[in-house]
Amino acid sequence: MTAAQRILRGHVLSFHGDPFAAPVEEVLTSIEDGAIAIEGGQIIAVGEACDIIGQGAAAPSDDHRGKFLMPGFVDTHVHYPQVDIIGAVNTGLADWLERYTFPAEMAFSVEDHARSAARFMLDRLMAGGVTTAAVYSTVHERAADIFFEESAKDDLLMVCGKVCMDRNAPDALLDTPQHAYDASKALIERWHGSGRAHYAVTPRFAITSTAEQLEAIGALWAEYPDLVMQTHLSEQRAEIETVLSLFPDAQDYLSVYERFGLVGPGAVFGHAIHLSQSERQRMQERGAAVAHCPTSNEFLSSGAFNLAATRADAPDLSIGLASDVGGGTSLSMFETMRGAYRAALRNGTQVTPLEMLYLATAGGAKVLGLGKKIGQVAPHRDADIIVLDPKATPDLARLTGVAEALEGILMALIMLGDDRAVSAVYVSGERVRAEAVQ
Ligand code: GUN
Ligand code: ZN
């Protein structure tokens, strides 16, 4: 081990495998008095504190004993222009898009407005322990620039893309197939791989893109196959009907995206609630992934994503958690995990605290194709680490005080946790400014 620049001490908790697929003891790293050595923004060693702290020249050590050291949370689907419309009362997806979402997105033609929303979103994500998110911008090219500029200020690994739409939205939000291709390509060249920025090709969904636009976007993605491609899929029944009427030759919703080469490794489909077994299996075969958006699905009355049934049909399909703000009601991953718990209950099943934490960390990183960079506290991973305090509030202190085993403490943390339980956030090994996360 080279000389560490910083050592974090606390209870290390991280998944190196999938707890849905293997016994927890085989996939969970849990080191009660553990330490993480960081150098050059990366984790260089993880182990028992006595081993790590004893090695090499003594580095300054941040003492978080009694707290959990975990990988930063990953939000696999969120709309940065929608921070101002959380909780907008609606009668369904189409009504919500028309009355609130599109007007809110139109305001992002003004750069100052976009910058203030980007800053707000990033600070609020970090406050809740989210260090990576897959973000939908608006149709405006500059709004994506601004989001990446603000992310770079904190050296955050953010995945973001300009939304592409050429029908069924107000004129001010429409581009064309050619413009979607050209502007997205310019953004890829400008941003993808610059610092920690990752570009995502982002057709909003099949209702707002013509076949010509989906074709242009499919061609673009084929030129940059390592990128994430993000869109929405089978969120509401009425949406499915509309898609099938717009693409009368399609056998089902997924086949619309298949036809344009938009289902493959790196494709992240938001919602994916009302899918057939065949659609789930085809997604799995092609290496696509699901962003499970529980609070949004509740708020917009979309249905409850059936995690257990999806896993039964397609055990290797990657699934992550997502806030989907502003359809979702909170940027907090704690609230999103609680939503995932409620969604499982609505389907007559349960998810364990360890499964929820996996989905919120390593599972989400895998969905975004970033499993080798983030999502784990392990050597050679970027040092995006959060410190969770199981005694942060009186309620938490009482409940975790009576919990006997680790799972009980983690369940208490998930059920009662919020930003106050995130006592520190490290991004690329640097502790995030306190003012940014309060
Ligand atoms: N489907 C198409 N666009 C959107 C959006 O912005 N939010 C949600 N929840 N669903 C969508
Ligand atoms: Zn969405």
Side-chain angles (χ1 to χ4, degrees):
M1 176 174 116
T2 52
Q5 283 167 348
R6 192 195 285 275
I7 289 174
L8 312 184
R9 185 171 186 177
H11 185 154
V12 174
L13 213 54
S14 175
F15 292 92
H16 50 269
D18 179 349
F20 290 95
V24 149
E25 22 340 321
E26 287 174 23
V27 296
L28 177 69
T29 300
S30 172
I31 312 170
E32 210 170 317
D33 187 11
I36 305 168
I38 297 169
E39 215 233 319
Q42 290 225 311
I43 297 168
I44 55 169
V46 181
E48 295 288 342
C50 57
D51 295 334
I52 299 285
I53 292 172
Q55 283 182 29
S61 159
D62 292 8
D63 193 347
H64 297 296
R65 271 177 287 181
K67 298 173 187 161
F68 295 109
L69 303 178
M70 291 200 61
F73 292 135
V74 179
D75 184 339
T76 59
H77 178 130
V78 60
H79 299 256
Y80 105 82
Q82 296 177 13
V83 284
D84 299 321
I85 56 159
I86 293 173
V89 178
N90 65 86
T91 57
L93 178 60
D95 173 56
W96 178 80
L97 285 171
E98 204 177 298
R99 277 168 59 194
Y100 309 106
T101 316
F102 292 150
E105 296 193 7
M106 279 194 250
F108 279 62
S109 60
V110 177
E111 293 194 13
D112 286 351
H113 179 68
R115 195 170 302 279
S116 100
R119 199 58 260 159
F120 179 80
M121 160 81 74
L122 290 166
D123 289 346
R124 297 305 304 138
L125 286 172
M126 285 191 285
V130 174
T131 50
T132 288
V135 179
Y136 288 60
S137 181
T138 61
V139 73
H140 313 96
E141 207 172 322
R142 279 295 294 148
D145 279 329
I146 287 165
F147 188 80
F148 281 127
E149 285 164 14
E150 292 302 315
S151 305
K153 289 182 182 164
D154 292 297
D155 202 22
L156 283 160
L157 197 171
M158 287 288 155
V159 182
C160 180
K162 175 200 120 61
V163 164
C164 302
M165 298 195 269
D166 68 344
R167 66 169 163 184
N168 293 324
D171 287 348
L173 290 180
L174 297 183
D175 53 14
T176 62
Q178 189 63 43
H179 184 264
Y181 176 93
D182 292 340
S184 303
K185 186 165 180 149
L187 283 162
I188 294 168
E189 293 294 331
R190 198 146 64 238
W191 286 107
H192 189 67
S194 151
R196 302 183 78 205
H198 282 63
Y199 194 78
V201 176
T202 310
R204 179 175 221 116
F205 67 157
I207 294 179
T208 48
S209 287
T210 59
E212 292 71 28
Q213 184 170 73
L214 292 176
E215 196 171 325
I217 292 168
L220 178 67
W221 194 32
E223 288 176 47
Y224 299 93
D226 296 340
L227 263 50
V228 163
M229 189 293 304
Q230 54 182 357
T231 190
H232 297 82
L233 172 69
S234 285
E235 179 178 359
Q236 298 203 341
R237 299 221 183 259
E239 170 204 3
I240 300 171
E241 294 304 313
T242 306
V243 169
L244 295 179
S245 72
L246 291 170
F247 295 92
D249 298 340
Q251 72 179 68
D252 53 29
Y253 194 160
L254 186 72
S255 72
V256 174
Y257 294 131
E258 285 173 323
R259 179 171 140 203
F260 300 106
L262 294 172
V263 186
V268 181
F269 292 100
H271 306 281
I273 305 171
H274 310 287
L275 293 181
S276 64
Q277 185 181 52
S278 157
E279 285 172 299
R280 289 171 179 155
Q281 288 174 345
R282 277 147 49 211
M283 287 171 74
Q284 169 179 261
E285 277 158 28
R286 295 175 197 277
V290 171
H292 172 18
C293 310
T295 70
S296 171
N297 296 341
E298 281 179 327
F299 182 72
L300 294 176
S301 234
S302 304
F305 172 73
N306 195 331
L307 183 64
T310 303
R311 287 200 53 87
D313 284 343
D316 297 327
L317 180 60
S318 289
I319 299 169
L321 292 183
S323 68
D324 191 33
V325 157
T329 48
S330 170
L331 287 171
S332 169
M333 197 48 75
F334 292 102
E335 186 55 36
T336 303
M337 288 190 280
R338 292 193 281 274
Y341 191 80
R342 293 190 296 268
L345 289 182
R346 278 184 59 190
N347 285 304
T349 59
Q350 288 198 323
V351 271
T352 69
L354 288 166
E355 287 166 347
M356 287 186 272
L357 288 168
Y358 166 78
L359 293 173
T361 56
K366 192 169 169 213
V367 161
L368 302 180
L370 295 169
K372 295 220 155 41
K373 274 193 203 314
I374 58 162
Q376 292 184 43
V377 175
H380 313 301
R381 299 306 197 287
D382 296 352
D384 292 347
I385 296 162
I386 56 177
V387 182
L388 300 185
D389 181 359
K391 303 206 180 303
T393 65
D395 310 41
L396 265 171
R398 188 169 176 99
L399 196 57
T400 58
V402 295
E404 278 164 15
L406 177 63
E407 288 222 36
I409 294 171
L410 295 175
M411 192 63 174
L413 197 49
I414 290 169
M415 289 299 139
L416 296 176
D418 57 35
D419 293 2
R420 293 170 295 175
V422 182
S423 68
V425 177
Y426 296 84
V427 172
S428 286
E430 293 298 325
R431 191 162 178 168
V432 171
R433 302 162 284 127
E435 65 271 24
V437 294
Q438 275 165 5

